[in-house]
Structures are given as structure tokens and as C-alpha cells.
Amino acid sequence: MPKTDQQFLEDRISMMETEGWLDLVADLKNLEESITSFDNIHSEKDLWNIKGQLRILNFLLSLDTATTLALEELQEGNPT
């Protein structure tokens, strides 16, 4: 049986409350700080690679907020 949108979002929030997720977020923040150093940019190719890495990091680091907002919007549209 496929999950509902609400169940999917609630499961994602539950995952983000685990110690493993919190450890991953801490590691990603450290990685983000090391990537944004200008010392790592030696060519235009490096710049584009770093830009891609930062997009992925930004997605993962903002997933908690985006999921919470999506769940709130869903619940406002479908009060139980």
C-alpha cells in the first residue's frame, strides 16, 4: 500500500529526530565550511564542482525546515 503524503512527511521528520541524522547534519555543516574556502578554487571547473556540492549540502541542511513546512501546509489543507 503506498504511503500518503502526510505519512511520508511524518516518517521523514521522525528520521530527522534520530542521533544519526543529527550527526550527519553536523558533519555536513563542517563539510560546508571547508568547501566554501577560496583556497579550494583553482579553476573554473573547481568553481562549478563546489557550486554543485553546495547545492546538495544546502538541500540536505534545509530538508528539516522544508519538510516541516510541507507537513504544515498539508495539514492546513486537510484538517483532521
Side-chain angles (χ1 to χ4, degrees):
M1 169 186 257
K3 286 185 183 184
T4 64
D5 290 343
Q6 182 166 344
Q7 185 62 48
F8 174 82
L9 294 170
E10 288 172 351
D11 287 348
R12 184 182 280 177
I13 288 173
S14 293
M15 174 192 71
M16 289 184 228
E17 293 172 344
T18 65
E19 283 298 316
W21 179 263
L22 298 175
D23 291 342
L24 176 63
V25 167
D27 288 344
L28 293 175
K29 286 179 181 178
N30 289 334
L31 182 59
E32 181 182 37
E33 289 175 14
S34 71
I35 289 174
T36 56
S37 168
F38 289 111
D39 295 335
N40 296 330
I41 303 173
H42 302 290
S43 67
E44 184 178 342
K45 183 179 178 182
D46 290 342
L47 179 65
W48 287 108
N49 284 332
I50 290 169
K51 184 177 180 181
Q53 292 172 358
L54 288 172
R55 280 190 174 178
I56 293 168
L57 287 171
N58 187 29
F59 169 77
L60 291 170
L61 292 172
S62 65
L63 192 59
D64 186 22
T65 302
T67 302
T68 301
L69 290 173
L71 184 58
E72 288 172 1
E73 282 183 25
L74 185 66
Q75 290 172 341
E76 287 174 6
N78 299 320
T80 50

